[in-house]
């Protein structure tokens, strides 16, 4: 199978020891900063995630490559009222400054989203046999080094059983052989992010610190 990524701490069998860090930021600030750079909020999330992946490599004593491909889900037109999701491959620049990262990512996603939506979902994955085969192959893949996802949430505050919901935190799924996943959801004017790692192999504090720093820069 194709190996686009060399052996790295970011990929491999996962342990039972996981950890999650939560970071949130003003959504209006992120959107305004992104707009000035010709980018989107999702591009900003990816730029901050790049800083986190870079920190994980440095903490593990590994060489930092110029870029790291990650898998990003893309919403597709609904089929029979069911949600459909495609996949966009984005190569995160790891050596660039945060704003250069943002602009480079935006240049990729402008065309990659269109291509992902045109391709649609993998028909092979619709059946249990295909899904089982893909799962086995994914445990040894070297095509992507991480998962990053962003979901638009409610713009207005919600209540649960009469109690105000002050925060909404997402947790990314770790699948295949990937050891870091980043998820974000917008809620009531905030962009809330969850960084899920296999803490047996990944320095969670280092990843969260770099991600928080870069996301703050991207909201100014």
């Amino acid at each position: 199978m194709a190996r686009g990524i060399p052996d790295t701490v970011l990929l491999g069998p996962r342990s039972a020891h996981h950890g999650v860090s939560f970071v949130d930021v003003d959504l209006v600030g992120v959107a305004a900063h992104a707009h000035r750079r010709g980018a989107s909020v999702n591009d900003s999330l990816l730029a901050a995630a790049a800083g986190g992946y870079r920190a994980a490599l440095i903490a593990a004593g590994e060489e930092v490559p110029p870029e790291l491909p990650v898998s990003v889900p893309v919403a597709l037109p609904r089929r029979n009222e069911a949600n459909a999701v495609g996949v966009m491959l984005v190569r995160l620049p790891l050596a660039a400054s945060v704003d250069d990262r943002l602009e480079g990512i935006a240049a990729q996603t402008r065309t990659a989203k269109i291509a992902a939506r045109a391709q649609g979902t993998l028909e092979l994955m619709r059946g249990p046999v295909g899904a089982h085969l893909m799962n086995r192959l994914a445990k040894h893949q070297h095509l992507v080094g991480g998962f990053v996802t962003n979901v638009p949430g409610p713009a207005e505050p919600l209540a649960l059983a009469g109690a105000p919901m002050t925060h909404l935190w997402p947790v990314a799924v770790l699948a295949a052989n990937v050891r870091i996943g980043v998820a974000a959801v917008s809620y009531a004017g905030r962009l809330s992010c969850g960084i899920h790692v296999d803490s047996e192999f990944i320095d969670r504090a280092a990843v969260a610190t770099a991600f928080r720093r870069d996301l703050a820069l991207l909201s100014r």
Side-chain angles (χ1 to χ4, degrees):
M1 126 177 276
R3 295 173 64 88
I5 302 173
D7 290 336
T8 171
V9 70
L10 302 178
L11 299 176
R14 294 193 310 277
S15 74
H17 304 288
H18 289 198
V20 180
S21 297
F22 297 119
V23 178
D24 77 330
V25 69
D26 175 60
L27 180 60
V28 173
V30 173
H33 187 108
H35 180 73
R36 290 194 296 271
R37 297 281 177 169
S40 68
V41 170
N42 194 57
D43 295 329
S44 296
L45 173 68
L46 287 164
Y53 284 110
R54 182 177 187 275
L57 293 169
I58 292 173
E62 294 190 5
E63 183 178 353
V64 178
E67 58 184 23
L68 178 76
V70 297
S71 176
V72 183
V74 175
L76 303 176
R78 290 192 169 204
R79 284 180 158 187
N80 300 322
E81 299 305 316
N83 290 328
V85 178
V87 176
M88 175 173 64
L89 186 71
V90 180
R91 296 186 176 277
L92 302 182
L94 300 187
S97 67
V98 67
D99 276 328
D100 285 345
R101 266 183 258 154
L102 178 61
E103 293 178 359
I105 289 167
Q108 292 182 60
T109 59
R110 286 187 202 107
T111 56
K113 284 179 188 176
I114 297 171
R117 287 177 177 143
Q119 179 179 350
T121 189
L122 290 174
E123 293 298 325
L124 176 65
M125 292 291 290
R126 291 187 175 275
V129 175
H132 177 70
L133 175 61
M134 290 295 290
N135 184 55
R136 290 187 61 183
L137 292 173
K139 290 180 179 179
H140 305 284
Q141 67 84 33
H142 278 250
L143 298 177
V144 299
F147 299 131
V148 183
T149 182
N150 179 26
V151 178
E156 301 299 327
L158 302 179
L160 182 62
M165 186 182 297
T166 58
H167 288 86
L168 186 61
W169 297 110
V171 177
V173 174
L174 294 187
N177 59 349
V178 171
R179 291 172 173 165
I180 303 179
V182 178
V185 61
S186 56
Y187 174 62
R190 305 291 293 179
L191 183 67
S192 302
C193 309
I195 306 162
H196 184 188
V197 309
D198 185 331
S199 51
E200 182 80 12
F201 302 99
I202 303 296
D203 188 331
R204 180 171 60 89
V207 175
T209 297
F211 182 92
R212 183 179 291 108
R213 176 201 63 217
D214 289 352
L215 195 60
L217 291 173
L218 290 162
S219 66
R220 295 178 180 171

